[in-house]
């Protein structure tokens, strides 16, 4: 059910009061992504009451939910209709009930299939937001053609709550693919990247990939999804060792949530970096072999704190960016710069958007940028 007028009035009045005295507030649903971003500042503004499915039209491939609805709850509902969020948003927490749909949008994080199907922002149809003036605004709708002019709905993806309180989200969903197969290949990093680049130019139902090195042995895992005939034909064309689907599904879920043994093997004094680079980038000069997803476009790196500049330089040299995803030694958010500095034109646009949506600067200050 949608929020009633009294609930909206209560939320807007709290935000107006905070804005009037420039009181910073920290928007928080399940708190599953408290580790992510530059800084955690302000009085906690609990949004957990924003929970529930507003509408779901399986035949229209659209679902609208309140922002604090648990992601696992929504995905279970979609699964009943053989549908899903194709971009596989990660869960953080044991069962996915701490992760919320609003947090999914605000973080803008997507899972293993992102390179093949798009990111969370590509599935945003509409959003309702309370801005820093206490205005409850509606952007977009429930169909793609409702999006005209500046697409504010997609703007919310990755904003980390710095532009306003998301109250409701409408998202496009997709049917679950009729067939799936996972293939395993033993190869080094260079060979894996060459294969992925070559396969990317062929009509293959590539959905996800993961290359990882363990004890000096590199292994590439490839997931295919699509029509039964297309998947079977691709398996014959590509070769490799076909994996049991049930076992592979658990591994892909662990990849999605960064709980594979490679991630667990990060020592306490190592940082976890997330490098976004062109898929065609070669092997990078990194402190150790990365875990590679997105057909070469996402590279996870474990590195000591002193290696930060080396990691950033490697990403920049490839034409990409580096994000300090999790800091080692329990260094909290704000202790170290997390995101690459924006170039002046883009930084100016970000500042202007922040000023327009949140003139008093109360929403999640310094979460997305150390400077605002």
């Amino acid at each position: 059910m949608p929020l009633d007028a009294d609930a909206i009035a209560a939320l807007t009045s709290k935000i107006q009061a905070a804005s009037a005295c420039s009181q910073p507030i920290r928007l928080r649903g399940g708190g599953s992504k408290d580790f992510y971003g530059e800084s955690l500042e302000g009085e906690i503004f609990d949004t957990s009451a924003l929970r529930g499915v507003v509408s779901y039209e399986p035949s229209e491939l659209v679902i609208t939910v309140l922002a604090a609805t648990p992601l696992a709850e929504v995905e279970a509902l979609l699964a009943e209709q053989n549908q899903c969020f194709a971009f596989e948003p990660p869960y953080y927490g044991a069962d996915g009930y701490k992760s919320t749909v609003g947090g999914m949008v605000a973080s803008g994080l997507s899972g293993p299939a992102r390179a093949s199907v798009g990111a969370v922002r590509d599935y945003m149809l509409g959003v309702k937001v309370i801005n820093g003036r206490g205005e409850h605004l509606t952007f977009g709708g429930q169909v793609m053609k409702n999006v005209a002019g500046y697409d504010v709905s997609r703007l919310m993806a990755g904003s980390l709550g710095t532009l306003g309180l998301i109250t409701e989200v409408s998202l496009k969903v997709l049917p679950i693919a009729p067939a799936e197969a996972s293939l395993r290949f033993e190869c080094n990093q260079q060979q894996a990247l060459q294969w992925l680049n070559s396969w990317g130019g062929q009509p293959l139902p590539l959905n996800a990939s993961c290359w990882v090195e363990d004890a000096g042995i590199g292994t590439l895992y490839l997931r295919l999804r699509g029509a039964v005939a297309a998947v079977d034909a691709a398996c014959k064309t590509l070769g490799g060792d076909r994996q049991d689907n049930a076992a592979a599904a658990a591994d892909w879920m662990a990849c999605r949530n960064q709980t594979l043994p490679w991630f667990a093997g990060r020592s306490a004094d190592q940082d976890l970096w997330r490098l976004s680079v062109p898929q065609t980038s070669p092997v990078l000069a990194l402190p150790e072999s990365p875990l590679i997803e997105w057909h070469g476009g996402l590279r996870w790196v474990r590195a000591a704190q002193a290696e930060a500049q080396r990691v950033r330089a490697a990403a920049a040299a490839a034409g990409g960016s580096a994000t300090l995803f999790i800091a080692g030694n329990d260094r909290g958010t704000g202790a170290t710069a997390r995101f690459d500095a924006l170039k002046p034109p883009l930084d100016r646009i970000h500042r202007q958007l922040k000023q327009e949506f949140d003139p008093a600067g109360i929403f999640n200050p310094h979460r997305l940028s150390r400077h605002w």
Side-chain angles (χ1 to χ4, degrees):
M1 295 294 291
L3 287 176
D4 59 34
D6 290 341
I8 294 172
L11 291 170
T12 56
S13 64
K14 287 182 181 179
I15 290 173
Q16 287 169 347
S19 183
C21 61
S22 297
Q23 172 63 51
I25 57 177
R26 177 179 150 199
L27 303 176
R28 191 175 189 269
S32 65
K33 299 175 184 66
D34 283 353
F35 67 89
Y36 186 55
E38 295 284 6
S39 182
L40 294 175
E41 298 179 21
E43 181 181 350
I44 291 178
F45 190 102
D46 185 9
T47 68
S48 58
L50 299 173
R51 178 171 178 168
V53 176
V54 176
S55 67
Y56 176 33
E57 298 293 340
S59 62
E60 300 296 329
L61 300 177
V62 175
I63 190 166
T64 300
V65 298
L66 298 181
T69 308
L71 179 55
E73 185 177 298
V74 176
E75 291 204 310
L77 176 62
L78 296 176
E80 291 175 1
Q81 300 295 326
N82 203 40
Q83 295 179 349
C84 66
F85 288 136
F87 52 90
E88 298 181 302
Y91 291 171
Y92 295 104
D95 56 9
Y97 280 85
K98 286 187 67 179
S99 294
T100 65
V101 173
M104 172 191 81
V105 170
S107 67
L109 300 174
S110 303
R114 187 259 182 264
S116 301
V117 305
V120 56
R121 65 173 178 270
D122 300 311
Y123 292 79
M124 294 283 294
L125 298 176
V127 67
K128 292 185 178 180
V129 181
I130 300 177
N131 67 8
R133 299 180 181 87
E135 300 166 329
H136 196 211
L137 307 175
T138 300
F139 300 99
Q142 294 185 324
V143 294
M144 291 301 294
K145 66 181 180 182
N146 279 355
V147 178
Y150 201 81
D151 193 345
V152 175
S153 299
R154 294 189 182 192
L155 182 66
M156 293 297 155
S159 65
L160 288 178
T162 60
L163 299 180
L165 169 61
I166 298 173
T167 60
E168 183 180 299
V169 183
S170 292
L171 294 149
K172 178 173 66 174
V173 300
L174 291 180
I176 294 173
E180 178 178 312
S182 292
L183 305 176
R184 179 184 180 277
F185 305 83
E186 188 172 306
C187 60
N188 61 29
Q189 184 181 168
Q190 183 176 358
Q191 180 66 77
L193 292 172
Q194 290 174 348
W195 279 343
L196 289 168
N197 290 332
S198 174
W199 294 336
Q202 300 177 35
L204 298 167
L206 303 182
N207 179 260
S209 59
C210 176
W211 181 86
V212 63
E213 187 175 85
D214 181 32
I217 299 175
T219 306
L220 173 65
Y221 296 92
L222 191 69
R223 187 174 65 192
L224 308 170
R225 280 181 175 171
V228 174
V231 170
D232 288 343
C235 287
K236 293 177 182 178
T237 299
L238 295 170
D241 298 323
R242 189 162 181 171
Q243 308 295 290
D244 175 75
N245 269 2
D251 289 338
W252 286 112
M253 179 61 80
C255 182
R256 170 180 175 176
N257 296 321
Q258 292 92 61
T259 56
L260 287 169
W262 184 90
F263 291 99
R266 180 175 61 92
S267 63
D269 62 346
Q270 284 183 312
D271 296 331
L272 178 64
W273 289 83
R274 187 175 186 268
L275 275 58
S276 178
V277 297
Q279 291 181 0
T280 54
S281 299
V283 175
L284 304 181
L286 297 168
E288 63 175 63
S289 293
L291 182 146
I292 302 176
E293 293 188 70
W294 299 2
H295 313 330
L298 176 62
R299 308 195 186 184
W300 295 98
V301 181
R302 302 178 304 199
Q305 184 178 357
E307 298 279 8
Q309 188 55 43
R310 179 181 175 185
V311 173
R312 290 194 188 279
S321 61
T323 298
L324 176 54
F325 196 69
I326 300 177
N329 289 325
D330 296 322
R331 301 195 317 277
T333 56
T336 307
R338 298 300 186 99
F339 304 111
D340 284 346
L342 297 175
K343 293 182 179 179
L346 189 56
D347 181 68
R348 183 173 64 253
I349 292 172
H350 277 231
R351 289 174 183 273
Q352 289 172 343
L353 286 169
K354 176 67 172 176
Q355 177 63 30
E356 181 64 30
F357 278 88
D358 181 22
I362 62 170
F363 291 127
N364 287 8
H366 309 132
R367 186 75 185 272
L368 190 61
S369 170
R370 307 182 104 190
H371 307 293
W372 48 266

